Amino acid sequence: MSKKSGKDKDKANSTGTIALNKRARHEYYFEDRFEAGLALQGWELKAIRAGRAIIGESYAMVLNNELFLIGAQITPLSQASTHVVADPHRTRKLLLHRREIDTLIGRVQRDGYTVVPTSLYWKGNKVKAEVVLAKGKQSHDKRDVARDRDWARDKQRAMRAHNKNA
């Protein structure tokens, strides 16, 4: 067995982001964040390494006191597996501690929260999902956030112009 050079080690253990759910920040208020593992098949891991994961339309749901990721798309590679029928929208199990699952179940059922995946990323050689306990925004809340963002941008622009002339 040969040793890997420094460049090969960096590629193998990269801790980069795989996929982001950018729309979730616009649609929800975030409360608590949890890190969950994913139960994946071999072809899915190969496809994720090739950058074929999309979680924009996905959500997490509780079934039989377990948490599942629904709606995430992992497009299979054509050459990866010929003997397995690959389902890109397969329901995948999220791996959390029992106490975390119980917390999520309680908050969803009692308080009306939603569990939303916000990102997929590498942690060592494992794929992790960041799931967030979130509350939905109303349309007027979304307009308020957009107005505040525009005002902050205009304020920064005015400050730069003022400091340039001074």
Side-chain angles (χ1 to χ4, degrees):
M1 193 160 166
S2 64
K3 282 193 154 190
K4 291 184 177 181
S5 66
K7 290 180 184 177
D8 293 338
K9 285 183 182 178
D10 291 341
K11 286 180 186 175
N13 294 329
S14 64
T15 58
T17 302
I18 299 168
L20 288 174
N21 188 354
K22 293 181 180 180
R23 189 169 14 153
R25 189 171 306 279
H26 180 69
E27 299 285 332
Y28 299 98
Y29 291 116
F30 293 164
E31 293 287 326
D32 295 330
R33 298 176 188 275
F34 296 93
E35 180 181 73
L38 278 171
L40 297 172
Q41 296 178 350
W43 67 267
E44 292 173 324
L45 197 58
K46 288 180 181 180
I48 286 173
R49 286 191 193 281
R52 293 178 171 240
I54 301 170
I55 61 168
E57 296 288 326
S58 63
Y59 59 96
M61 183 177 241
V62 178
L63 300 171
N64 298 328
N65 288 331
E66 294 178 335
L67 212 61
F68 291 92
L69 181 65
I70 299 172
Q73 179 180 345
I74 300 176
T75 307
L77 297 171
S78 59
Q79 72 273 15
S81 178
T82 56
H83 64 282
V84 176
V85 178
D87 180 17
H89 294 285
R90 183 178 77 86
T91 299
R92 294 161 183 93
K93 187 174 181 179
L94 290 171
L95 307 173
L96 289 158
H97 292 285
R98 172 54 50 197
R99 183 177 294 134
E100 293 174 333
I101 293 172
D102 292 341
T103 301
L104 289 170
I105 290 171
R107 300 282 298 271
V108 166
Q109 289 177 350
R110 278 192 315 267
D111 303 332
Y113 282 91
T114 304
V115 181
V116 179
T118 56
S119 67
L120 290 179
Y121 57 93
W122 293 104
K123 187 169 185 182
N125 60 351
K126 297 188 175 30
V127 177
K128 299 289 183 173
E130 181 185 54
V131 293
V132 176
L133 197 60
K135 194 82 147 169
K137 286 184 183 178
Q138 301 292 326
S139 60
H140 60 84
D141 294 333
K142 295 175 191 176
R143 286 192 299 267
D144 291 343
V145 170
R147 184 178 59 238
D148 292 342
R149 186 179 56 235
D150 291 342
W151 167 241
R153 187 181 320 122
D154 292 341
K155 188 167 53 172
Q156 281 296 108
R157 198 174 287 143
M159 292 296 285
R160 269 191 304 233
H162 177 70
N163 289 339
K164 186 188 277 187
N165 294 334

